[in-house]
Amino acid sequence: MHNKTISIIIPVFNEEQVIPELIKHLFSIARSASYTFEYIFINDGSIDKTLEILRNIKDKRLKIIDFSRNFGHQIAITAGIDYAVGDALIIIDADLQDPPETILEMIKKWEDGYDVVYGVRKKRGGEGWFKLITAKLFYRFNKRLSNIDIPVDVGDFRLLSRPVVDEVKKMREKNRFVRGMVSWVGFRQCAVYYERSSRFAGGSKYPFRKMVAFAFDGIFSFSVAPLQLVTFLGFLVSIFSFGLGIYFFYLKLFTQKAIHGWSSTVIPIVFLGGVQLLSIGVLGQYIGRIYDEVRNRPLYIVRKFYSNDDE
Ligand code: UDP
Ligand code: MG
């Protein structure tokens, strides 16, 4: 019998339909493995019966972090990481899109000496073409921009060893892109492959708005490339307008071609206006993040922590 503990971290937001099935899978995995398990559910401000269902599962291994409101997926994961006591932590979605059976494979790799075992999505089932394309583009774009090695087509479904967890816990940044933070930490990392199936029940809790915010965190929290890009763009536009100035000067002095057109006035104005707004927007992204940091609010608020132990 091992006496190692594995903590399973599950963020849940209105997942009443999937929890019983998920629990079935998780418990059956626990029976086939000789570890002590701990299940940490983070109730991320659900407005359905999620909390009630969780509270009714009378099992000592269950712990529930009940947030005071919806703080978002990445923050929920963070809370799980903060509370977990295991020698290894596994982050998994509640909707069975990440097959729980892969957990055993991850643990095996961990026993082989890896500190981070991340799940790579070989195939994604049950998701629309829009999500597939934007996800593909995002992962590749983000890899290009950031100066750390974030693997592509990898979600938050992964195992973290205790040394990695202890490092990640020191990173209290407010705009969190957890998988990037884990890559940044380093240690020995490896992949396991799985097929991402469609949701067991219910709809995605990631509407377009949340996807965009998430993508922005991935890019702006891990790279200053946009700043460099904007600087470069400004440089290019300056050179171009300088050339244009010389050209107009030449027309005026050496030719008879008078310029009546408004286009030569309006186009540069519109173009420059666009470039300037874009640049200010990029600056705003970083300033907003600095603002979030200096206010230094807590990352999340726990209404109540339930551990079935104390009943
Ligand atoms: N989730 C959460 N808070 C949120 C949104 C999602 O805790 O604000 C949880 C959700 O319950 C699920 C996981 O994060 O366990 C992944 O969400 P979802 O399956 O909706 O995302 P998708 O697979 O569509 O990208
Ligand atoms: Mg999902």
Side-chain angles (χ1 to χ4, degrees):
M1 185 79 188
H2 302 258
N3 39 20
K4 290 179 186 161
T5 303
I6 310 270
S7 306
I8 312 274
I9 295 171
I10 312 131
V12 283
F13 177 47
N14 296 336
E15 300 285 10
E16 58 181 8
Q17 290 172 291
V18 303
I19 288 170
E21 184 70 17
L22 173 73
I23 286 285
K24 235 193 279 168
H25 282 261
L26 289 179
F27 284 5
S28 98
I29 288 166
R31 275 193 296 275
S32 68
S34 44
Y35 295 92
T36 308
F37 280 87
E38 164 190 63
Y39 306 98
I40 302 185
F41 282 88
I42 303 93
N43 179 30
D44 189 13
S46 301
I47 47 170
D48 64 358
K49 294 209 168 64
T50 295
L51 181 65
E52 210 182 310
I53 292 172
L54 286 172
R55 296 265 290 138
N56 278 326
I57 303 169
K58 300 292 176 206
D59 190 296
K60 278 193 187 328
R61 296 168 293 180
L62 229 70
K63 286 167 188 162
I64 306 162
I65 302 171
D66 188 28
F67 275 180
S68 63
R69 63 170 170 85
N70 178 260
F71 280 91
H73 178 221
Q74 298 289 304
I75 301 285
I77 291 175
T78 304
I81 291 175
D82 290 342
Y83 277 73
V85 299
D87 300 296
L89 274 58
I90 290 168
I91 302 165
I92 188 169
D93 284 355
D95 58 7
L96 296 168
Q97 278 195 289
D98 305 331
E101 287 65 33
T102 309
I103 287 176
L104 293 173
E105 244 177 281
M106 290 180 166
I107 294 176
K108 208 151 161 270
K109 290 272 188 200
W110 171 59
E111 291 286 12
D112 288 347
Y114 287 99
D115 288 291
V116 176
V117 187
Y118 51 83
V120 179
R121 300 157 175 175
K122 258 194 315 194
K123 225 164 135 194
R124 297 172 70 126
E127 284 171 317
W129 61 270
F130 183 72
K131 178 129 186 170
L132 290 183
I133 290 178
T134 49
K136 270 241 172 316
L137 281 177
F138 166 67
Y139 286 125
R140 276 148 190 86
F141 184 62
N142 201 17
K143 191 186 171 78
R144 281 245 134 156
L145 281 189
S146 61
N147 31 28
I148 47 165
D149 196 16
I150 302 177
V152 297
D153 297 329
V154 170
D156 286 309
F157 182 33
R158 57 180 66 211
L159 177 147
L160 312 178
S161 70
R162 181 44 59 181
V164 170
V165 171
D166 288 341
E167 294 308 321
V168 170
K169 276 168 81 170
K170 292 180 195 159
M171 302 162 78
R172 302 314 287 174
E173 59 208 67
K174 309 294 171 199
N175 293 284
R176 303 175 76 81
F177 185 63
V178 175
R179 60 196 76 161
M181 292 162 59
V182 171
S183 298
W184 185 86
V185 165
F187 290 92
R188 293 188 64 199
Q189 312 214 354
C190 76
V192 293
Y193 294 85
Y194 71 99
E195 284 187 14
R196 192 162 164 90
S197 43
S198 49
R199 239 176 188 283
F200 177 71
S204 173
K205 307 298 181 287
Y206 257 100
F208 185 64
R209 179 177 51 78
K210 276 189 183 171
M211 266 166 64
V212 171
F214 177 72
F216 275 21
D217 277 342
I219 292 164
F220 291 110
S221 300
F222 277 91
S223 162
V224 290
L227 285 176
Q228 285 157 351
L229 197 78
V230 158
T231 312
F232 180 69
L233 204 65
F235 186 67
L236 225 64
V237 170
S238 308
I239 290 190
F240 175 72
S241 52
F242 187 70
L244 207 65
I246 291 181
Y247 175 64
F248 288 153
F249 202 58
Y250 162 83
L251 287 183
K252 179 100 182 150
L253 287 187
F254 303 107
T255 70
Q256 299 302 313
K257 283 188 235 157
I259 299 168
H260 323 278
W262 59 275
S263 51
S264 56
T265 319
V266 170
I267 290 172
I269 290 176
V270 172
F271 177 61
L272 282 176
V275 169
Q276 282 170 353
L277 280 181
L278 177 81
S279 312
I280 294 171
V282 169
L283 285 180
Q285 284 292 335
Y286 291 99
I287 293 173
R289 269 150 231 274
I290 296 170
Y291 181 52
D292 283 339
E293 295 301 329
V294 295
R295 262 186 319 190
N296 201 22
R297 292 192 181 162
L299 283 175
Y300 51 84
I301 298 169
V302 176
R303 178 164 36 207
K304 196 160 169 163
F305 177 72
Y306 300 95
S307 149
N308 288 345
D309 247 353
D310 41 48
E311 274 163 24

